[in-house]
Amino acid sequence: MSAKSVASVLHHSSHSGTARLVLIGIAWHMSETGHAGAWPSIKRLAVYSGVSERQVIRALAALEESGELDVDRHKGESYGGHRTNRYWINIPCPSDCEGGMYHRNFGDNVPMFEVVDNFDTRDIQGQIR
Ligand SMILES: [Zn+2]
């Protein structure tokens, strides 16, 4: 399971709808480094995405066409004698993205926590300290 892969899809995939859901499903199965790829079955991706297996196959073609997904057909691990496809997600961060889990833009300058400057300093008796 790779939250890192899921985050990169959530932030940078150009796809919407079924293709995006399928890609998130694949990202969920990705190993932490991503080097080994992921090999969820078409059936499982259909369950994740709430669509038919045919729609998943169509989405995979669109994802592959866009370059966001590399597919090695029938090179996945074997489950009960049936070999699934093996997938690699290929979504580089744009140059202004700092990467990491949150994929913030450098320009955003988002603080890690909110600075509260109108904090009410009265204590519970209503006295100003
Ligand atoms: Zn990023």
Side-chain angles (χ1 to χ4, degrees):
M1 189 279 271
S2 173
K4 206 170 141 227
S5 292
V6 172
S8 84
V9 174
L10 292 175
H11 286 274
H12 301 311
S13 176
S14 64
H15 290 271
S16 62
T18 301
R20 197 179 180 96
L21 285 171
V22 166
L23 200 55
I24 291 167
I26 292 168
W28 181 250
H29 280 257
M30 199 59 70
S31 61
E32 210 45 65
T33 61
H35 293 144
W39 45 92
S41 67
I42 303 285
K43 193 175 203 164
R44 178 157 301 279
L45 292 172
V47 170
Y48 287 163
S49 308
V51 298
S52 68
E53 293 182 35
R54 186 177 287 272
Q55 283 172 287
V56 170
I57 291 164
R58 218 176 290 139
L60 289 170
L63 290 163
E64 198 177 10
E65 174 80 26
S66 74
E68 290 189 14
L69 188 70
D70 292 327
V71 183
D72 223 349
R73 286 185 166 72
H74 311 298
K75 291 286 172 60
E77 299 295 308
S78 184
Y79 292 118
H82 176 75
R83 280 192 171 267
T84 58
N85 294 335
R86 191 182 287 251
Y87 305 100
W88 285 268
I89 292 174
N90 180 33
I91 305 180
C93 283
S95 58
D96 62 346
C97 179
E98 50 97 53
M101 279 303 289
Y102 300 102
H103 294 271
R104 291 194 181 94
N105 290 355
F106 284 119
D108 285 353
N109 199 17
V110 179
M112 289 299 289
F113 51 88
E114 196 179 352
V115 178
V116 181
D117 59 2
N118 63 344
F119 185 72
D120 191 21
T121 54
R122 280 175 294 191
D123 62 21
I124 54 168
Q125 278 87 33
Q127 301 297 310
I128 301 283
R129 290 176 193 243

